[in-house]
Amino acid sequence: MNAIEVRHLTKRYRGRPALDELSLRLEIGQIVGLVGDNGSGKTTLLKILAGVLADWTGEVTVLGRVPGPETKALVSFLPDASFLADSSTCERAVNQYRLFFEDFEAERAWEMIRFFKLPEDRSLKEMSKGMREKLQVALAMSRNARVYLLDEPISGVDPASREVILRGILDGLDPESLLLISTHLIHDVEPVLDSAVFLHEGRVLLQGEADALREEYGCGLDAIFRKVYNS
Ligand SMILES: Nc1ncnc2c1ncn2[C@@H]1O[C@H](COP(=O)(O)OP(=O)(O)OP(=O)(O)O)[C@@H](O)[C@H]1O
């Protein structure tokens, strides 16, 4: 079964298409990079798949169902903007997740919080941007979801921490799940990707297995990005 199936998906904001007849299929058991130039529709697509945007046209299924309450229980979505209260500490955030999500494993979240060396005595307001991102990754990846949708999870972190976060994401990832990760930091994420989807103006510009794309273009995904978006 395809984890995600999208056909002719169009989403307009005040009449202007953010996604334009987009079609895409993603199978379970993969780590997929979602890349594209600014405004190409990555966040909009992830929000629709996560079931937080509803006014679109076309066909979308996630794990065989139209995005809604049923799929939300199976999909772990890490949005680009923090939704946790500024006053939250690690402990409060873990407890909030435990209340919200039946599939949340608090112990796994604590392991990641320690692995990321996050300060347990500081509120979110007192944490740096990178620390907040690490906490959100720890929470999102501690759900036993079938589909993980991560919107720019490493945008605010230093290069060494990016590797640590990616390791944290991969450790314990169920091979029977799909991880879709949007990023501008293709070079950093490339080593973990099985495949990539390139968006442009709300459509799929290029999609394929990472190895096949590298072979076809004779370079890495980062260089492919520069080639296709500069041409
Ligand atoms: N709430 C909104 N109201 C109006 N237009 C919006 C809204 N959100 C997004 N858009 C528009 O939709 C298009 C796609 O935006 P989106 O945020 O999905 O792109 P993106 O690929 O995630 O961009 P970036 O790489 O800059 O984060 C853009 O033209 C943007 O201006």
Side-chain angles (χ1 to χ4, degrees), residues 13-14 16 18 36-45 152 184:
Y13 291 107
R14 288 200 274 131
R16 202 162 358 116
D37 46 350
N38 289 128
S40 55
K42 301 178 295 296
T43 295
T44 304
L45 176 62
E152 290 279 355
H184 289 295

Side-chain angles (χ1 to χ4, degrees), residues 90-215:
C90 291
E91 189 174 2
R92 272 211 214 160
V94 167
N95 287 338
Q96 199 177 352
Y97 256 69
R98 209 198 312 247
L99 279 177
F100 278 170
F101 302 110
E102 264 182 38
D103 61 357
F104 180 67
E105 283 193 23
E107 197 38 54
R108 201 196 306 171
W110 281 118
E111 272 171 32
M112 282 181 90
I113 286 166
R114 283 179 215 120
F115 176 68
F116 290 151
K117 300 190 172 69
L118 290 174
E120 293 176 32
D121 58 342
R122 270 178 241 175
S123 69
L124 251 76
K125 198 171 53 188
E126 297 165 325
M127 290 187 199
S128 71
K129 186 169 185 240
M131 290 172 187
R132 286 196 294 271
E133 288 194 348
K134 284 177 181 165
L135 176 58
Q136 298 207 80
V137 166
L139 296 167
M141 296 311 297
S142 296
R143 287 187 54 195
N144 281 317
R146 297 289 308 285
V147 173
Y148 297 88
L149 306 171
L150 311 185
D151 196 359
E152 290 279 355
I154 55 169
S155 60
V157 299
D158 64 80
S161 292
R162 284 177 209 153
E163 256 178 54
V164 174
I165 291 197
L166 286 172
R167 223 178 316 134
I169 289 174
L170 295 184
D171 278 356
L173 182 69
D174 182 347
E176 287 302 301
S177 62
L178 168 73
L179 175 62
L180 180 58
I181 177 167
S182 92
T183 187
H184 289 295
L185 298 165
I186 311 171
H187 178 74
D188 294 274
V189 174
E190 176 160 2
V192 309
L193 296 182
D194 298 309
S195 66
V197 177
F198 291 67
L199 293 191
H200 180 59
E201 293 182 350
R203 288 167 175 255
V204 176
L205 181 66
L206 186 66
Q207 183 190 1
E209 286 185 13
D211 285 342
L213 288 170
R214 280 189 282 262
E215 196 169 325

Side-chain angles (χ1 to χ4, degrees), residues 1-4 25-32 63 74 145-148 174-179 194:
M1 179 185 52
N2 285 313
I4 288 173
R25 264 194 220 159
L26 297 174
E27 286 170 17
I28 212 92
Q30 289 194 82
I31 300 176
V32 182
L63 301 165
L74 305 166
R146 297 289 308 285
V147 173
Y148 297 88
D174 182 347
E176 287 302 301
S177 62
L178 168 73
L179 175 62
D194 298 309

